[in-house]
Amino acid sequence: MMTLPQLQSFLLLGAALNYAILLLGFLAWVLIGDALCRLHARWFTLDRAQIHQAAYLLFGAYKLAIWLFFIVPWLTLYLLRQG
């Protein structure tokens, strides 16, 4: 069974790893976005604007999931331990 400090460490590490993945995905999109657009346009019948819109939506949803599943629970445990 995990103790509260172990759980806090797990949540903080999970948030850091997921933000690293998010940053890696964003950097890939910025650096090789044209190639990714061509690849997705070939797989699906989407134009460039739709692909960018979908990528923006997915990056936002992933960031929101990181906050909901890692940062908010960590912050809650942190505040509970302080008071």
Side-chain angles (χ1 to χ4, degrees), residues 35-46 51:
L36 291 173
C37 280
R38 285 192 303 273
L39 180 68
H40 285 87
R42 196 171 31 189
W43 287 347
F44 309 104
T45 55
L46 299 172
I51 294 170

Side-chain angles (χ1 to χ4, degrees), residues 1-77:
M1 183 159 187
M2 282 184 136
T3 63
L4 282 181
Q6 288 174 329
L7 182 59
Q8 282 182 289
S9 295
F10 171 77
L11 290 170
L12 201 56
L13 180 64
L17 288 174
N18 278 290
Y19 259 101
I21 293 169
L22 180 66
L23 181 62
L24 182 67
F26 177 74
L27 287 175
W29 189 257
V30 168
L31 296 176
I32 57 170
D34 291 333
L36 291 173
C37 280
R38 285 192 303 273
L39 180 68
H40 285 87
R42 196 171 31 189
W43 287 347
F44 309 104
T45 55
L46 299 172
D47 63 6
R48 186 177 181 86
Q50 290 173 318
I51 294 170
H52 282 289
Q53 183 180 15
Y56 184 76
L57 177 71
L58 289 173
F59 283 132
Y62 189 54
K63 186 176 179 180
L64 183 62
I66 294 169
W67 272 87
L68 288 175
F69 293 117
F70 291 100
I71 296 175
V72 170
W74 176 83
L75 187 60
T76 303
L77 291 174

